[in-house]
Amino acid sequence: MSTVDDLSEDDRLELLQGTLEVLILRCLKLQTNHAYGISQFLQQQSDREFQVDNGSLYPALQRLLQREWISAQWKDSPNGRRARYYTLTPSGRKQLVKATSKWKRFAVAMAKVLAPEG
């Protein structure tokens, strides 16, 4: 996964294993979308901290399809080109709830460990 191009290597955020799948599920909770739309959503929602390259995005979409957490259908995009649109499935919704809970617990635990002493 790539990140903001104008940041130095040390300042770039890299996602932990499995994070991209959760972010894709979150995006698709809102609406059906194609890969470019998913990438744009993640970039906008993260204030440009996450810029997902195709080499990371498409394999993640394939993993989600194999797990049947998303489904896909070819449609015409607004610009008239064919695009594969992805939709969250009921099992994907359940997985998103579980993953969101796990990530919130993880964030709380990290905050406790990283909190200033005293």
Side-chain angles (χ1 to χ4, degrees), residues 1-109:
M1 161 159 306
S2 66
T3 54
V4 179
D5 292 331
D6 51 347
L7 291 178
S8 73
E9 183 109 6
D10 291 339
D11 291 333
R12 293 182 181 180
L13 293 178
E14 303 231 357
L15 297 181
L16 298 173
Q17 182 71 26
T19 305
L20 181 54
E21 287 89 348
V22 175
L23 295 174
I24 292 169
L25 294 176
R26 173 62 179 99
C27 173
L28 296 176
K29 179 182 179 186
L30 300 174
Q31 67 182 19
T32 297
N33 213 336
H34 48 74
Y36 180 74
I38 293 168
S39 177
Q40 291 300 297
F41 171 84
L42 297 177
Q43 183 177 347
Q44 290 168 349
Q45 291 299 114
S46 69
D47 293 330
R48 294 186 38 86
E49 291 288 352
F50 301 146
Q51 290 188 5
V52 182
D53 61 46
N54 290 341
S56 299
L57 182 59
Y58 285 101
L61 289 167
Q62 288 304 310
R63 287 190 297 274
L64 293 172
L65 284 166
Q66 289 172 349
R67 294 177 185 143
E68 298 181 351
W69 293 344
I70 64 173
S71 60
Q73 182 178 12
W74 288 98
K75 297 181 184 178
D76 289 330
S77 67
N79 65 8
R81 296 173 62 180
R82 299 275 294 156
R84 197 167 189 196
Y85 280 78
Y86 300 92
T87 304
L88 192 61
T89 64
S91 61
R93 287 185 186 283
K94 289 178 186 174
Q95 178 59 29
L96 178 59
V97 169
K98 287 169 48 177
T100 300
S101 173
K102 192 181 247 185
W103 273 104
K104 286 180 180 179
R105 286 182 15 239
F106 179 84
V108 168

